[in-house]
C-alpha cells in the first residue's frame, strides 16, 4: 500500500465534494486531515497556545487547526478544525492514523483510505504547461523602474513585485499533481475545496513554534536572493558561492531580517529575540536561495489572532517598511493577491505550530489556473536581472 505515489493516489481519488488539505513536502512527515469541520478566522482568533507543554513527540500534528491564510484579508482564510489525521511517515514508510473522530462535518474512514491506495495508478507522462504572462516583460521592466525611482525618493527600501501568469496545457490539474508528487519542496501543500485548488511548491518556512523547557520558542526563516541551479557540479558550486558573497542579495536579506525581528517584538518575551543566522544557502531542485533565521521566546498569553496580526504577511514577500510597501504593492500589481503569498499552516492541539509562505504557488478557480512569482527590488537592483530571476522561479511549474 505504501509507495512513492501515495500522495498522488490520495489527491486523485479523493471524494469530489470533500475538501482536501495535504501539508508536507520533502521533510519526514506529510499530514492529511480525515475528519474535520470548516471554521472561520474569527472563530480561531482568541485561541491560545496550550499551557500544558508537550516536550517530545515524533509526530508533529494529530488534531487542531490547519489551512491557508489569505494575504489580502485573513478573514477570508480557509481553515479546518481537525479531529483525526492520516500522517505519512516517509522515513519509516508508514501510514499512521492519529486523533479520534468527533462530531465532524467531513470524515473519511480508514477503509476509504485503504481503497484509494489499493489499486495502482495508470502510468502517465508529465504534460507540459505553458505560462501566459498577464503583463509583458516590457511592462514589468517599466513597473520595476518606477519602483526603483520610489526607492531613490525614499518612499520605501524594498518592494517585492509579483508577475502573474495564466497556466495552459492539456490537463493543467493533472500536470500540477504529477509535479507535486515528484518535486515536492520543503513546505509543499495541496488544498482543494468547492471550486478552488491551491498547489504550493514552497521551499520557504514562515513561522514555527514548538515547546522547549518551560516556554514556547518561535522561529522564522526568511528567504531572499536567488540563483539558478546548474547540471554541472562545478558550475553549480560557483553559482552558490557567488550568491553567498553577493552584497546586493545579502543587503536585501538583512533588511527583511530586521523587519521580521521587529515583527516579533510584540509577541515575544523581553530581550529574547536573536538573529541565529544572517544568511546561509538553501538549495532546491532548480534554485539556490539565501535563508536567514530569527528566534525568540513566545510570550505566554499570545493568541492565534495576535500571532497572525504581528507577523503576517511575511516580510520576505512584502518588503520594508511593511505597511507602506503593502499599499504600493496593491498600486503596482493592480489586484488583490488573495492566497498568493499568503501562508499555509498547521497548529496542533498540543502546541506545535508550523507554516509556509505561499511562494511557488498555483491557484485554480474552477478550470482557470494562475501562477505568481516575484522578486525583491532594492536600490541596487537591475530590472532585467530581476525579470530573469522571476523566470527561474517559474521553472518549478513548467520544467519537464
Amino acid at each position: 500500500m505504501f509507495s512513492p505515489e501515495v500522495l498522488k493516489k490520495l489527491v486523485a481519488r479523493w471524494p469530489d465534494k470533500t475538501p482536501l488539505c495535504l501539508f508536507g513536502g520533502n521533510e519526514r512527515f506529510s499530514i492529511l486531515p480525515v475528519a474535520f469541520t470548516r471554521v472561520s478566522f474569527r472563530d480561531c482568533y482568541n485561541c491560545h497556545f496550550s499551557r500544558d507543554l508537550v516536550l517530545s513527540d515524533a509526530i508533529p500534528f494529530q488534531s487542531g487547526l490547519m489551512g491557508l491564510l489569505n494575504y489580502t484579508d485573513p478573514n477570508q482564510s480557509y481553515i479546518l478544525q481537525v479531529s483525526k489525521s492520516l500522517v505519512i511517515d516517509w522515513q519509516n514508510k508508514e501510514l499512521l492514523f492519529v486523533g479520534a473522530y468527533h462530531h465532524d462535518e467531513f470524515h473519511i474512514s480508514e477503509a476509504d483510505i485503504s481503497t484509494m491506495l489499493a489499486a495502482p495508478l495508470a502510468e502517465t507522462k508529465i504534460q507540459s504547461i505553458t505560462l501566459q504572462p498577464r503583463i509583458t516583460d516590457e511592462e514589468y521592466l517599466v513597473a520595476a523602474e518606477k519602483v526603483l525611482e520610489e526607492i531613490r525618493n525614499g518612499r520605501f527600501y524594498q518592494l517585492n513585485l509579483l508577475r502573474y501568469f495564466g497556466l495552459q496545457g492539456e490537463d493543467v490539474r493533472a500536470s500540477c499533481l504529477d509535479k507535486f508528487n515528484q518535486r515536492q519542496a520543503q513546505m509543499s501543500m495541496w488544498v482543494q475545496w468547492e471550486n478552488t485548488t491551491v498547489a504550493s511548491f514552497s521551499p520557504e518556512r514562515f513561522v514555527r513554534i514548538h515547546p522547549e523547557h518551560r516556554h514556547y520558542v518561535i522561529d522564522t526563516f526568511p528567504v531572499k536572493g536567488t540563483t539558478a541551479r546548474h547540471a554541472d557540479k562545478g558550475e553549480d558550486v560557483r553559482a552558490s558561492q557567488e550568491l553567498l558573497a553577493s552584497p546586493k542579495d545579502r543587503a536585501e536579506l538583512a533588511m527583511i531580517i530586521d523587519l521580521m525581528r521587529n515583527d516579533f517584538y510584540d509577541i515575544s518575551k523581553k530581550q529574547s529575540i536573536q538573529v541565529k543566522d544572517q544568511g546561509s544557502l538553501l538549495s532546491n531542485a532548480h534554485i539556490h536561495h539565501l535563508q536567514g533565521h530569527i528566534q525568540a521566546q513566545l510570550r505566554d498569553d499570545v493568541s492565534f489572532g495576535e500571532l497572525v496580526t504581528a507577523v503576517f504577511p511575511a516580510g520576505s514577500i512584502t518588503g520594508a517598511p511593511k505597511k507602506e510597501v503593502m499599499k504600493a504593492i496593491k498600486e503596482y500589481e493592480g489586484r488583490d493577491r488573495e492566497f498568493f503569498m499568503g501562508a499555509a499552516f498547521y497548529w496542533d492541539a498540543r502546541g506545535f505550530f508550523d507554516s509556509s509562505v505561499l511562494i511557488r504557488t498555483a491557484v485554480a478557480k474552477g478550470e482557470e489556473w494562475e501562477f505568481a512569482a516575484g522578486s525583491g527590488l532594492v536600490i541596487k537592483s537591475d530590472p532585467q536581472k530581476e525579470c530573469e530571476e522571476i523566470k527561474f522561479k517559474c521553472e518549478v511549474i513548467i520544467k519537464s
Side-chain angles (χ1 to χ4, degrees):
M1 185 182 296
F2 192 96
S3 75
E5 291 190 319
V6 60
L7 299 183
K8 186 176 177 182
K9 287 182 177 181
L10 290 170
V11 176
R13 294 168 177 166
W14 201 253
D16 287 342
K17 295 186 181 298
T18 303
L20 180 146
C21 193
L22 176 61
F23 191 106
N26 61 4
E27 297 193 327
R28 178 175 172 182
F29 297 104
S30 295
I31 303 159
L32 176 66
V34 296
F36 50 87
T37 296
R38 186 170 179 182
V39 293
S40 70
F41 180 73
R42 289 188 180 91
D43 292 334
C44 310
Y45 190 95
N46 291 317
C47 296
H48 285 76
F49 287 84
S50 172
R51 299 293 178 89
D52 300 322
L53 303 184
V54 178
L55 298 181
S56 63
D57 196 312
I59 299 173
F61 184 87
Q62 296 186 11
S63 61
L65 299 176
M66 183 181 288
L68 305 173
L69 295 176
N70 186 296
Y71 171 99
T72 304
D73 180 4
N75 288 309
Q76 299 301 313
S77 298
Y78 183 76
I79 303 175
L80 303 178
Q81 176 73 54
V82 181
S83 67
K84 189 176 180 73
S85 303
L86 168 65
V87 176
I88 303 166
D89 182 342
W90 296 103
Q91 177 177 302
N92 294 323
K93 298 184 178 180
E94 292 181 324
L95 304 177
L96 308 170
F97 287 91
V98 293
Y101 291 111
H102 193 53
H103 301 294
D104 302 292
E105 182 181 2
F106 301 97
H107 71 271
I108 302 292
S109 70
E110 295 179 30
D112 293 332
I113 297 293
S114 295
T115 299
M116 293 179 206
L117 297 177
L121 286 170
E123 287 191 18
T124 58
K125 180 181 179 181
I126 295 183
Q127 301 295 321
S128 62
I129 294 176
T130 58
L131 298 182
Q132 299 297 319
R134 302 306 193 201
I135 62 171
T136 65
D137 287 0
E138 290 72 21
E139 289 170 318
Y140 167 80
L141 294 173
V142 168
E145 288 287 1
K146 290 180 179 177
V147 170
L148 294 180
E149 182 65 24
E150 294 216 85
I151 292 173
R152 288 189 286 268
N153 290 337
R155 182 181 178 187
F156 39 74
Y157 303 108
Q158 180 180 164
L159 182 144
N160 185 274
L161 184 63
L162 292 188
R163 293 188 69 181
Y164 296 88
F165 304 85
L167 298 183
Q168 294 185 351
E170 185 176 328
D171 189 337
V172 174
R173 184 180 187 278
S175 297
C176 286
L177 180 54
D178 274 324
K179 294 173 192 295
F180 183 83
N181 191 67
Q182 294 183 21
R183 301 180 183 165
Q184 290 182 75
Q186 181 182 5
M187 302 300 293
S188 293
M189 191 168 195
W190 185 288
V191 186
Q192 60 190 44
W193 74 98
E194 297 168 359
N195 71 333
T196 302
T197 301
V198 178
S200 180
F201 302 84
S202 177
E204 183 173 357
R205 176 172 265 119
F206 181 26
V207 168
R208 181 179 66 194
I209 298 171
H210 63 280
E212 186 175 285
H213 304 301
R214 297 180 179 275
H215 56 258
Y216 282 106
V217 170
I218 178 170
D219 301 90
T220 188
F221 302 86
V223 168
K224 299 304 293 182
T226 302
T227 190
R229 299 294 304 266
H230 299 273
D232 179 80
K233 186 175 180 180
E235 185 70 9
D236 194 55
V237 170
R238 184 194 62 76
S240 66
Q241 292 302 313
E242 285 185 359
L243 178 63
L244 285 166
S246 166
K248 178 262 184 186
D249 291 306
R250 285 205 165 273
E252 188 178 346
L253 179 60
M255 287 184 203
I256 300 307
I257 287 174
D258 190 57
L259 182 153
M260 298 184 79
R261 180 173 56 184
N262 186 65
D263 285 350
F264 271 15
Y265 182 79
D266 287 337
I267 57 172
S268 300
K269 292 183 179 179
K270 289 183 179 179
Q271 299 181 333
S272 70
I273 303 173
Q274 304 176 64
V275 176
K276 306 288 283 187
D277 187 351
Q278 292 279 3
S280 54
L281 198 66
L282 175 66
S283 298
N284 298 287
H286 303 294
I287 288 176
H288 293 297
H289 291 297
L290 293 178
Q291 176 179 267
H293 179 194
I294 306 157
Q295 185 178 89
Q297 292 180 18
L298 191 69
R299 223 180 56 225
D300 292 336
D301 58 346
V302 172
S303 71
F304 176 71
E306 289 173 319
L307 171 69
V308 173
T309 300
V311 302
F312 182 78
S316 59
I317 46 75
T318 56
K322 186 186 281 188
K323 289 184 179 179
E324 185 61 31
V325 293
M326 287 180 70
K327 289 192 292 185
I329 283 168
K330 180 68 180 292
E331 295 166 12
Y332 280 100
E333 294 180 7
R335 57 180 285 176
D336 289 330
R337 288 182 168 184
E338 297 180 339
F339 286 110
F340 288 115
M341 309 297 131
F345 76 95
Y346 67 73
W347 179 18
D348 185 77
R350 300 161 299 159
F352 301 100
F353 182 94
D354 207 352
S355 59
S356 70
V357 184
L358 290 175
I359 60 174
R360 317 294 136 77
T361 295
V363 177
K365 294 183 178 179
E367 298 301 315
E368 183 178 352
W369 285 79
E370 273 196 310
F371 185 79
S375 67
L377 297 166
V378 295
I379 197 164
K380 291 186 177 180
S381 289
D382 177 337
Q384 188 62 52
K385 289 183 178 178
E386 301 293 342
C387 189
E388 292 169 4
E389 177 180 316
I390 290 172
K391 291 176 182 179
F392 294 154
K393 293 173 179 177
C394 290
E395 289 190 355
V396 70
I397 200 75
I398 62 173
K399 198 165 184 177
S400 298

